[in-house]
Amino acid sequence: MSDAVSDFPWGAATGVGSLPGGDAREAAKTVTGSLIGADGSAGDFPFLPELPARGPGADMIGRTAGLLVEMYARVEPSGWRLGDRPGRDTRRAHSWLGEDLDALEEFTQGYEGPLKVQAVGPWTLAAALELRGGEASLGDPGACRDLAGSLAEGLRAHLADVRRRVPGARILLQLDEPSLTAVLRGQIRTASGYRTYRAVDRQVVESALRDVVAVHDGPVVVHSCAPDVPFALLRRAGAAAVSFDFSLLTERDDDVIGEAVESGTRLFAGVVGGTDGPLSDPAGSVMGVRTLWRRLGLHPGTLAESVVVTPACGLAGASPAYARAALAHCVRAARSLADNPE
């Protein structure tokens, strides 16, 4: 493990990425107000908000497509499709991201601590971005390689921009890979819907992920709110942390979870609902995490240093009031885990 990862000031709670609404300044204010202490301290993880309600280019696929180098995408009725030159949709993606970065920069003046930025990972991107003929890039191994390389270059520039804007921050890169398990299992449907793309070899998947992870000299977390997250593969690819919907874990995941924790992998446990609903008491929200620790025979004292508390997935589908409450609830639940690990 590199010094940049081992010395990283891991926070106790954060969000996944998306928030409701379309006001970048309000989103940045929510994130920094919920996740940065009143004295400017960094007890938790502020993050660069994503506001998909603004439309194409602010959605997760369009936003990341806008980061690609020498590859361009536009919106078609069927989704995002690669083309030869930048157009209106690429310009819109750049504009939305610039607006979000401006707002984050405004609300993080003087901030020193961890800061998370998100982008779609290479395999979910390959499953979503269409080639000219309408089929997903996933069906073309050469296109997958080109996409991963372009994404890596784009992320280098994006991370450098964030560092310039928030110079005191220690950056954590999150790669969103909700389609990864389906890619590995051959469950992504073709354009016709009548068949699926062939499962991608695990070594090929791991290699591409490793290349993208390697662009960041700090820690990388891979997020998926789908069932059966491939923890071991993500560890081998260099992920320092894995973010997941805790409610989707089953006891058959125990061994890989235990191995991940013992190897030093952080768990971003999604224990708070992503859409409006009742919030339990903070201690109750992390009761399942405590139970998992006991089941694995892990020392309770390692909980706070191994687990970051998050919502189960993005909060774009929530009301603004619930999104604020959910982030605050994650902070309180993380404190409960630290104060009373047993």
Side-chain angles (χ1 to χ4, degrees), residues 9 17 127 131 135 207 296 316 339:
L131 300 173
E135 292 294 344
S207 176
L296 295 176
D339 294 343

Side-chain angles (χ1 to χ4, degrees), residues 59-245:
D59 62 296
M60 61 184 284
I61 298 300
R63 186 180 181 91
T64 299
L67 296 176
L68 297 176
V69 173
E70 296 183 357
M71 296 182 80
Y72 312 102
R74 63 181 186 274
V75 178
E76 297 285 345
S78 54
W80 284 92
R81 182 172 298 181
L82 292 169
D84 295 328
R85 59 183 64 85
R88 177 182 58 189
D89 299 318
T90 299
R91 290 191 293 273
R92 186 186 293 121
H94 291 166
S95 176
W96 290 137
L97 179 58
E99 186 177 303
D100 294 338
L101 288 166
D102 288 345
L104 183 73
E105 182 177 0
E106 177 184 348
F107 284 93
T108 52
Q109 293 295 311
Y111 173 69
E112 296 183 358
L115 172 67
K116 182 166 69 70
V117 298
Q118 306 83 219
V120 176
W123 294 105
T124 296
L125 203 58
L129 283 181
E130 299 173 357
L131 300 173
R132 284 191 189 87
E135 292 294 344
S137 302
L138 185 64
D140 183 332
C144 290
R145 287 192 295 272
D146 291 345
L147 201 54
S150 177
L151 175 62
E153 288 303 309
L155 283 173
R156 281 194 185 93
H158 179 47
L159 292 167
D161 188 20
V162 176
R163 289 189 193 98
R164 284 192 296 272
R165 291 169 175 268
V166 194
R170 299 281 298 278
I171 297 173
L172 172 77
L173 172 62
Q174 175 178 305
L175 296 175
D176 291 318
E177 282 284 14
S179 299
L180 182 58
T181 299
V183 167
L184 290 165
R185 292 180 173 177
Q187 295 173 336
I188 301 294
R189 294 202 169 274
T190 59
S192 69
Y194 292 119
R195 63 181 184 89
T196 58
Y197 294 104
R198 184 178 301 174
V200 181
D201 183 87
R202 297 181 79 87
Q203 290 186 329
V204 173
V205 169
E206 183 182 325
S207 176
L209 277 169
R210 187 182 299 111
D211 289 345
V212 176
V213 166
V215 307
H216 184 39
D217 60 4
V220 175
V221 55
V222 178
H223 168 73
S224 174
C225 47
D228 300 320
V229 177
F231 286 89
L233 184 152
L234 296 177
R235 282 174 46 221
R236 292 194 302 271
V242 180
S243 171
F244 57 96
D245 181 343

Side-chain angles (χ1 to χ4, degrees), residues 242-254:
V242 180
S243 171
F244 57 96
D245 181 343
F246 191 84
S247 70
L248 298 178
L249 287 185
T250 66
E251 290 194 18
R252 69 172 181 269
D253 296 309
D254 281 5

Side-chain angles (χ1 to χ4, degrees), residues 2-61:
S2 72
D3 290 343
V5 174
S6 59
D7 295 340
F8 190 79
W10 296 93
T14 191
V16 172
S18 66
L19 291 177
D23 188 325
R25 292 186 77 257
E26 186 62 32
K29 183 179 178 181
T30 294
V31 165
T32 54
S34 301
L35 298 167
I36 297 178
D39 59 354
S41 61
D44 301 292
F45 271 105
F47 59 95
L48 176 63
E50 301 168 354
L51 302 174
R54 292 178 299 196
D59 62 296
M60 61 184 284
I61 298 300

